[in-house]
Amino acid sequence: MKKIEAYLRPNCIGDVINSLHEIGIEGISLTEIKGYGQQKGHVEHYRGAEYTINLLPKIKIELFIKDTQVSSAIKAITKAAQTGEIGDGKIFISPVEEGIRIRTGETGETVI
Amino acid sequence: MSNYFNNRHIGSWLLISLILVLLITSTAFAANDPNGSATLKQDPNSAVNYIWVLICGAMVIFMMTGFAMVETGFTRARHANNTMMMNLMVWAVGGLAFYFIGFGLMFGGVGGMFGSLDKLLTIKMFGHSWGLLGAKGFGLGNSVYDVSIFLLFFFQVGFLDTALTIPSGAMAERIKFSTYLVYTFIAGAFIYPLFGNWVWGGGWLSQLGQIGLGQGFKDFAGSSAVHAVGGTMALASAIVLGPRIGKYIKGKPVAIPGHDLGMGVLGTMLLIFCWFGFNCGSTFAATDLRFTVVAVNTLLAGCVGGMAAMIYMCFSSGKPDTSMSCNGILAGLVAITAPCAYVPTWAAVLIGGIAGILVCYSVYFVENRLKIDDPVGAVSVHGVNGLWGTIALGLFADGTYGNVKGLFFGGGFGQLGAQLIGALTLIIVIFSLSYLLFKLLDRTIGMRVSAEEELTGLDVPVHGAVCYPEFSISSSLSITTNNTTIPNSITIEKSKN
């Protein structure tokens, strides 16, 4: 069992969900977040005075998948979220020790 | 808590003095027409004229909606409740100040069609008598119980509110609410009516014609008496208050973007609508069809002002800045307010265009050179352009209305001279009086909120509730300059059940 965290552009989230659906991944959690990366935001003007927008709005999705689904999930997210420009985001994968369905108490990959 | 005790003392003190004023007010009867039938009989046109002034007056009062939206939209969410409340209560307190004291001082001697307003305190100089202040009509007592006078009061109260609400934009996010209300009362009772009397109440500026200066100082709808007075008071208040925490870092101004530019734009649109009541209603008669010229000139100056500011901002900072485009439109409208009845359309276009550029320069100058923090640009929009409009009248008046001729239409320097004297008088008198008032308030009850209240937002400490309780408000930016970071975000948690 693996956990995927992906930091994405807010406007691509509909495509990402659709393409995950297509490969049979059936549940995600989504959080609206703000953050900055290597570029540390950008300079704008308000009433002629400069200011830096250094926290940009992003979407974080979290999903738990079977080990066999990892490469197809990465392909699905990348296909939907890639523009080739700076700011497309990142995907992180980590192992998951255990999962438990609260309603029934069952454990293992079947809870996904 | 001492805040609120202070408030109570001031309140009772004001109440006692108002009752005294009412008692002193003369109660003698004059030839008044309290039910309006005699007025209507004498002039059947008065029906249409009165309804015209009433509707325009209501539009002027509605301008407070526009001001509230512009000022709140262009400032931060954590102070939104407070900024709204200032714009709301200025109407209530200012209206009462005008009723008890201000109206009598301003229009007590206006005479003319307001027959029983006949007490003007005058001074003899240079072989002429000059009006200084009115002295009748306090509390609209029996001596002025007349439909025409009540119409004048209703129409003028909106202008007063407009002038008084202008400084609230310059004081936003850091003024003590109780002090703001005291300022509102004193300025509405004494400062605004003083200059108002000299321009519109039969006072000495309007009489400058008797020493050959054109037709005397002219201000059709209030570039000077309303906007420049408000803008000048705004300047004095912002100087005494000092900049918001975080506005200047190592002497460099930092942009503090407003929280709802959309609301600011809608407020500007509302102001545009109401401005037609402001200017056209100042004919004070529906039968004076000159209001068509007034309407077109007002419209043109607003259009050009907005265009000029937007284009200027595109060149100076790369993008069409929304709030400065709003300021540009308002600047054009402010500048045309005095000359709107007197100038040809090409002059209205020119006046508006210059106003649009002037407001951008002025915002930059006030913020970067004078280092005065004026969050919404009140000084530049209303002060600078109010004065520009006042002077422009002396340049472009074409003589087709009231025989007012400017420099470029064969009027010589007479009318221009009157306008310059008026503008100079305004700057000197209104600035020194309001600076004195704000300094006095600062020394006594204090002008500024505590740093803690300012940083967390005035909504809860002052009014007990935030403006947006069900939203998590966190700004997308924090301000960074030279390794100093000021967090520009707060999170308001939902209250527990």
Side-chain angles (χ1 to χ4, degrees), chain B residues 147 212 220 292 304 324 348 421 448 477 483 497:
Chain B
V147 288
F220 188 69
T292 54
V304 183
M324 284 308 300
I421 290 174
R448 196 160 172 148
L477 48 115
N483 303 326
N497 290 328

Side-chain angles (χ1 to χ4, degrees), chain B residues 390-406:
Chain B
T390 305
I391 295 163
L393 190 156
L395 299 172
F396 299 109
D398 65 2
T400 54
Y401 188 67
N403 200 28
V404 181
K405 280 188 191 148

Side-chain angles (χ1 to χ4, degrees), chain B residues 259-333:
Chain B
H259 84 283
D260 192 344
L261 292 183
M263 178 153 68
V265 171
L266 288 174
T268 305
M269 290 168 172
L270 259 172
L271 284 171
I272 294 170
F273 170 74
C274 296
W275 225 286
F276 293 105
F278 199 96
N279 285 2
C280 300
S282 293
T283 57
F284 220 75
T287 48
D288 183 353
L289 300 181
R290 184 73 177 185
F291 65 70
T292 54
V293 175
V294 172
V296 171
N297 279 342
T298 304
L299 181 128
L300 289 172
C303 294
V304 183
M307 280 291 292
M310 188 189 76
I311 293 169
Y312 180 87
M313 291 314 285
C314 279
F315 282 112
S316 71
S317 65
K319 287 178 183 171
D321 185 282
T322 308
S323 77
M324 284 308 300
S325 302
C326 290
N327 278 175
I329 290 176
L330 297 178
L333 293 171

Side-chain angles (χ1 to χ4, degrees), chain B residues 464-478:
Chain B
V466 288
C467 196
Y468 310 105
E470 301 199 352
F471 290 86
S472 169
I473 299 165
S474 62
S475 173
S476 65
L477 48 115
S478 61

Side-chain angles (χ1 to χ4, degrees), chain B residues 94-368:
Chain B
L96 284 176
F98 202 55
Y99 167 67
F100 285 120
I101 303 167
F103 180 74
L105 293 180
M106 188 160 167
F107 290 104
V110 74
M113 61 190 281
F114 314 100
S116 53
L117 286 175
D118 54 5
K119 271 193 196 146
L120 189 66
L121 306 178
T122 55
I123 183 172
K124 286 258 181 215
M125 263 173 106
F126 313 118
H128 297 281
S129 127
W130 304 92
L132 287 179
L133 265 183
K136 198 174 175 185
F138 302 104
L140 294 176
N142 277 334
S143 62
V144 293
Y145 202 2
D146 182 272
V147 288
S148 69
I149 292 168
F150 278 48
L151 186 74
L152 178 68
F153 176 84
F154 179 77
F155 189 64
Q156 288 298 335
V157 112
F159 287 74
L160 166 89
D161 290 329
T162 303
L164 294 185
T165 206
I166 289 164
S168 66
M171 295 192 269
E173 304 198 337
R174 58 205 193 282
I175 174 82
K176 239 166 108 174
F177 190 64
S178 52
T179 311
Y180 178 74
L181 295 185
V182 175
Y183 138 76
T184 304
F185 192 91
I186 296 175
F190 301 106
I191 299 180
Y192 172 83
L194 183 66
F195 193 77
N197 174 273
W198 298 346
V199 181
W200 288 336
W204 68 273
L205 283 174
S206 66
Q207 297 168 316
L208 284 174
Q210 56 189 356
I211 52 166
L213 292 177
Q215 302 295 315
F217 182 77
K218 286 283 175 193
D219 182 352
F220 188 69
S223 284
S224 68
V226 178
H227 292 285
V229 166
T232 307
M233 291 194 297
L235 179 68
S237 70
I239 291 174
V240 175
L241 263 177
R244 290 169 288 174
I245 295 171
K247 177 65 194 176
Y248 290 96
I249 292 174
K250 293 182 181 158
K252 206 175 159 238
V254 176
I256 303 181
H259 84 283
D260 192 344
L261 292 183
M263 178 153 68
V265 171
L266 288 174
T268 305
M269 290 168 172
L270 259 172
L271 284 171
I272 294 170
F273 170 74
C274 296
W275 225 286
F276 293 105
F278 199 96
N279 285 2
C280 300
S282 293
T283 57
F284 220 75
T287 48
D288 183 353
L289 300 181
R290 184 73 177 185
F291 65 70
T292 54
V293 175
V294 172
V296 171
N297 279 342
T298 304
L299 181 128
L300 289 172
C303 294
V304 183
M307 280 291 292
M310 188 189 76
I311 293 169
Y312 180 87
M313 291 314 285
C314 279
F315 282 112
S316 71
S317 65
K319 287 178 183 171
D321 185 282
T322 308
S323 77
M324 284 308 300
S325 302
C326 290
N327 278 175
I329 290 176
L330 297 178
L333 293 171
V334 167
I336 201 65
T337 297
C340 58
Y342 303 108
V343 298
T345 51
W346 64 263
V349 168
L350 196 65
I351 291 168
I354 291 173
I357 305 290
L358 203 56
V359 73
C360 298
Y361 271 111
S362 175
V363 163
Y364 179 85
F365 184 77
V366 169
E367 187 164 301
N368 290 272

